[in-house]
Amino acid sequence: MATGGSSMRRGLPRVAGGEPWPPAASAPAEAVVDASAPPAAVVEAAVERPAGPSTGSGEPPALATASAPERSGTTVVRRGLPRVAGGEPWPSAVVVAAAGPGATPAEAASAAPAPPLAAADGDASVRRGLPRIAGGDAWPPAGTAAAVSSPIAAVSSPAAADAAADGAGAAAEEAAPAADLPLIGTATEGPRAPLSVPQTAWAGRAASRRPQPKPEPQRIGPFTTTQWAGAVVVGGIGLLFAAGMAVLAVRFLLSLDGMRDFLATYPGEYHLPAGAPVGIPAWLGWQHFFNVFLMVLIIRSGLTIRREKRPSVFWAPKNNPKGKTSLTIWFHQALDILWLINGAVFIVLLFVTGQWMRIVPTSWEVVPNALSAALQYVSLDWPTENGWVNYNALQQLAYFSTVFIAAPLAAITGFRMSGMWPKKNLKLSAAYPIEWARKVHFPVMLFFVVFIVIHVVLVLATGALRNLNHMYAAQGSVDPTAYADNWTGFWLFVVSLVVIAAAWVAARPLVLAPIARLFGTVSGR
């Protein structure tokens, strides 16, 4: 046997407003353990012996040992730290319930409530939950009670503890309602078998899967498609507002007496030199078509080069396999060569036939007349003009800058960026850096785009049939109202648009590769 004793640590009161439990004079008695008895039969019960005739000395509660072989359902309490320094773990055996005053160890053992082992009645039924199989009954079956095996601690009745504290009543009678409490534990027949069906409880999608981030919208340059659409709408509204304000301001300006005299002196055009040709010849109309055809494809291929990051098809000259370049660049440079040839023919015929006087200024009067024509265009009171005879001063300056300024700049800068530039000539390359060419070449392309848009709008707005007959059908008259009902030039214009659109669609590697093989070697990535 092992013994030990000292003052017990006092805890919370057993009743509301009472003294801390146990009383101050209480001390633990000797703990006796029958080592020969089996664990299920050894019971240690806390028995309170208050001061009185039965003891004669007010002894504190003691721990008594008794064997109860008939109580197979006795539960074991987990042992903890010793109550005294160097003592054994507390409690030293199995505790079932607190007995009343004067109870013997055997009575203390018999007073322990036995846990329910089966669902004999519905008093200790457990709460039913989800079915084990889809569409089945709730689990566990109806009438099942919670079973407790020997390793689980028994639950003491609060009523029995109160009765022991007051020293009244029998512990067995007071602790009897504790048997009705459902005790949750493990079945005596052994551990529960694993589930034979998948678990029906679902933690939810968020427990195992995170929401995928939205893909980044595709950008065209600095903006997305939606942002470009918004910029176009907002910019268009702003331009319309600015245009309306400009029209009102210019119309007010032209209503002044001084501006009326200015328009009378400079109506927007001046007389051409004597001997200047009248009318537009057929060769000029064909040159005009070739120029538009090549310019559209050049602009398309140039924009493709700026947008193309990883070319898929390459071209190399037959005599220089190392000079490989993308098929798009080859196509762009081939168009440039054709455009330069067409431009050279145009310049030669322009000076041979005297047509140069129609687009080259021959008097300083072109400046005030150009200003007058611009004011009339902005005021929407457009000047009366007849392109068959003479362009107004603003048209003349526009055509002159396009043919003799923009076109040479495009040719010179394009040649510097092409493969035909002598790269081995370091002095020439240093004198004319390629960065300068790139900074000039793209703005020149934008100038051509703006010129084409404005030119087409004015041609259609200032007498479409008459102007198209002049340029495409070589028909015209000194009288500006002639050929107003002639549709020849219009249909020729439509045919030219169909040809240009077909070339635009066909300008792709599938069509260009066979043509490029005639002049070099075509290869893929």
Side-chain angles (χ1 to χ4, degrees), residues 365-437:
E365 293 183 1
V366 68
V367 176
N369 279 286
L371 178 59
S372 175
L375 292 174
Q376 294 178 64
Y377 278 120
V378 174
S379 67
L380 300 182
D381 187 11
W382 293 345
T384 302
E385 54 89 24
N386 185 6
W388 184 259
V389 177
N390 187 11
Y391 296 128
N392 64 52
L394 190 61
Q395 288 176 313
Q396 190 178 47
L397 290 178
Y399 297 150
F400 173 80
S401 60
T402 302
V403 175
F404 295 101
I405 297 178
L409 282 176
I412 294 172
T413 55
F415 176 69
R416 177 63 183 89
M417 295 186 297
S418 69
M420 295 180 289
W421 178 263
K423 297 181 177 60
K424 296 181 180 180
N425 194 333
L426 300 181
K427 292 183 178 180
L428 186 60
S429 298
Y432 184 21
I434 192 173
E435 290 78 12
W436 292 4

Side-chain angles (χ1 to χ4, degrees), residues 5-189:
S6 65
S7 299
M8 293 187 67
R9 184 176 59 182
R10 305 177 67 192
L12 297 175
R14 289 299 182 90
V15 296
E19 295 287 336
W21 182 262
S26 299
E30 293 184 353
V32 182
V33 178
D34 187 358
S36 63
V42 179
V43 180
E44 179 177 284
V47 180
E48 180 183 2
R49 295 192 181 99
S54 60
T55 60
S57 59
E59 295 179 355
L63 298 178
T65 304
S67 62
E70 72 279 359
R71 299 293 294 177
S72 61
T74 304
T75 59
V76 179
V77 176
R78 186 176 62 182
R79 304 174 70 188
L81 297 174
R83 288 297 179 93
V84 295
E88 294 187 2
W90 180 269
S92 57
V94 180
V95 177
V96 176
T104 65
E107 292 175 347
S110 62
L117 301 179
D121 53 16
D123 296 338
S125 299
V126 299
R127 186 177 61 181
R128 304 175 68 191
L130 297 174
R132 289 297 180 90
I133 58 175
D137 293 335
W139 184 266
T144 302
V148 179
S149 61
S150 59
I152 305 301
V155 178
S156 299
S157 172
D162 295 338
D166 298 334
E173 296 177 358
E174 295 293 337
D180 297 333
L181 296 177
L183 304 179
I184 308 301
T186 305
T188 58
E189 62 269 13

Side-chain angles (χ1 to χ4, degrees), residues 83-445:
R83 288 297 179 93
V84 295
E88 294 187 2
W90 180 269
S92 57
V94 180
V95 177
V96 176
T104 65
E107 292 175 347
S110 62
L117 301 179
D121 53 16
D123 296 338
S125 299
V126 299
R127 186 177 61 181
R128 304 175 68 191
L130 297 174
R132 289 297 180 90
I133 58 175
D137 293 335
W139 184 266
T144 302
V148 179
S149 61
S150 59
I152 305 301
V155 178
S156 299
S157 172
D162 295 338
D166 298 334
E173 296 177 358
E174 295 293 337
D180 297 333
L181 296 177
L183 304 179
I184 308 301
T186 305
T188 58
E189 62 269 13
R192 187 179 63 185
L195 296 178
S196 59
V197 294
Q199 184 178 0
T200 57
W202 186 47
R205 186 181 301 274
S208 59
R209 182 178 302 176
R210 295 293 182 268
Q212 295 294 333
K214 294 183 178 180
E216 187 71 18
Q218 185 178 3
R219 293 182 176 271
I220 303 175
F223 304 124
T224 63
T225 304
T226 305
Q227 291 173 342
W228 275 114
V232 169
V233 172
V234 174
I237 295 175
L239 288 177
L240 289 176
F241 177 78
M245 297 302 295
V247 170
L248 294 177
V250 171
R251 292 182 72 90
F252 169 76
L253 183 63
L254 295 181
S255 64
L256 302 177
D257 295 337
M259 292 304 299
R260 291 178 182 176
D261 296 338
F262 176 78
L263 293 180
T265 306
Y266 302 103
E269 65 178 11
Y270 64 96
H271 295 289
L272 296 178
V278 177
I280 299 175
W283 67 264
L284 191 57
W286 283 102
Q287 286 286 323
H288 182 269
F289 165 73
F290 289 145
N291 185 69
V292 174
F293 177 83
L294 294 172
M295 283 297 301
V296 170
L297 294 181
I298 287 172
I299 293 173
R300 181 190 186 280
S301 59
L303 294 177
T304 304
I305 292 172
R306 292 181 62 89
R307 186 175 62 251
E308 193 174 47
K309 302 300 182 182
R310 293 175 57 86
S312 58
V313 185
F314 297 89
W315 177 88
K318 294 180 180 180
N319 57 355
N320 185 17
K322 295 183 179 180
K324 185 169 67 173
T325 185
S326 70
L327 185 64
T328 307
I329 295 178
W330 171 84
F331 180 56
H332 185 75
Q333 294 179 359
L335 292 172
D336 289 339
I337 294 174
L338 295 177
W339 181 69
L340 290 174
I341 294 174
N342 183 72
V345 173
F346 174 75
I347 295 296
V348 171
L349 293 177
L350 199 67
F351 283 95
V352 169
T353 60
Q355 290 287 333
W356 65 270
M357 289 181 285
R358 294 170 56 89
I359 63 173
V360 177
T362 58
S363 173
W364 285 107
E365 293 183 1
V366 68
V367 176
N369 279 286
L371 178 59
S372 175
L375 292 174
Q376 294 178 64
Y377 278 120
V378 174
S379 67
L380 300 182
D381 187 11
W382 293 345
T384 302
E385 54 89 24
N386 185 6
W388 184 259
V389 177
N390 187 11
Y391 296 128
N392 64 52
L394 190 61
Q395 288 176 313
Q396 190 178 47
L397 290 178
Y399 297 150
F400 173 80
S401 60
T402 302
V403 175
F404 295 101
I405 297 178
L409 282 176
I412 294 172
T413 55
F415 176 69
R416 177 63 183 89
M417 295 186 297
S418 69
M420 295 180 289
W421 178 263
K423 297 181 177 60
K424 296 181 180 180
N425 194 333
L426 300 181
K427 292 183 178 180
L428 186 60
S429 298
Y432 184 21
I434 192 173
E435 290 78 12
W436 292 4
R438 289 173 178 169
K439 291 180 180 179
V440 174
H441 194 74
F442 185 70
V444 170
M445 186 272 291

